[in-house]
Amino acid sequence: MPVRRILQLGDPTLRTISATAEPASAATVMQDLEDTLAEFRRTHGFGRGISAIQIGEAVRLIFLKVDGVRYELINPEYTWQSAETFELWDDCFSFPDLMVHLRRHEKVRIRYQDSGASWTELEAEGALSELIQHEMDHLDGILAVDRAEGPHPLATRDEWARQYQV
Ligand SMILES: [Zn+2]
């Protein structure tokens, strides 16, 4: 149940393509992800999702907590992504003081396994959709900075707040 150190931008491990997870033995890492997410929220005041590679575990596991709902995603994969996209400012535990302007699919449908290896399908839009896309990118070593788009796509969190928050 320990809180783990979150790897930071520049650590080459974040570029790893994570391996398929063994559903029956995912519980320990999943618990560490939940504890690490909770601690990050406590210390930073934001945060809804974390991927196993961010604590140095190169397996396809994601933990989300959105509006009080927990999601344990084992080996998630897309079954559909909408053609429609939207733009947003994204952030990441691995570079918490950097905001990145990018584009995501409006809706996605994924399937993922539970600890008994059964598959569940989930369709998401809006905040949950972009969060899932962010975390699934981590499983393939892709970071939000790689998707930076627009004339001024990067901002420190402080400057972003000055420029865009009213
Ligand atoms: Zn991230």
Side-chain angles (χ1 to χ4, degrees):
M1 63 177 77
V3 171
R4 306 271 295 266
R5 189 178 72 82
I6 299 172
L7 274 49
Q8 296 296 292
L9 180 63
D11 187 326
T13 302
L14 285 171
R15 298 309 194 165
T16 308
I17 295 177
S18 292
T20 302
E22 177 52 57
S25 36
T28 304
V29 173
M30 202 60 91
Q31 186 63 54
D32 286 358
L33 290 173
E34 181 167 9
D35 294 341
T36 304
L37 175 67
E39 175 65 9
F40 187 93
R41 281 190 67 91
R42 193 181 69 76
T43 53
H44 290 76
F46 68 93
R48 302 165 299 162
I50 186 168
S51 296
I53 193 62
Q54 291 181 277
I55 60 169
E57 304 281 352
V59 285
R60 303 183 85 81
L61 300 177
I62 292 171
F63 180 83
L64 310 177
K65 192 167 184 186
V66 182
D67 298 330
V69 181
R70 301 165 73 263
Y71 298 88
E72 296 188 6
L73 309 183
I74 302 175
N75 300 319
E77 52 192 47
Y78 293 111
T79 56
W80 176 74
Q81 294 169 291
S82 69
E84 301 78 26
T85 59
F86 68 110
E87 296 170 48
L88 70 146
W89 285 95
D90 203 1
D91 55 20
C92 181
F93 291 3
S94 295
F95 36 92
D97 295 320
L98 186 65
M99 302 299 293
V100 183
H101 185 262
L102 47 68
R103 183 179 295 278
R104 300 282 188 197
H105 297 280
E106 211 162 274
K107 298 180 186 177
V108 295
R109 202 177 301 138
I110 62 167
R111 65 175 202 145
Y112 62 92
Q113 289 178 290
D114 62 22
S115 58
S118 300
W119 290 93
T120 302
E121 203 164 41
L122 172 68
E123 187 168 318
E125 60 184 312
L128 183 58
S129 172
E130 54 101 348
L131 177 62
I132 286 171
Q133 291 171 71
H134 178 112
E135 300 306 337
M136 284 183 64
D137 269 356
H138 275 301
L139 304 184
D140 292 321
I142 298 165
L143 300 172
V145 286
D146 304 334
R147 297 195 183 277
E149 181 181 308
H152 302 287
L154 300 176
T156 64
R157 184 174 292 276
D158 284 350
E159 189 56 32
W160 170 81
R162 267 191 291 271
Q163 295 286 336
Y164 301 103
Q165 281 189 325
V166 283

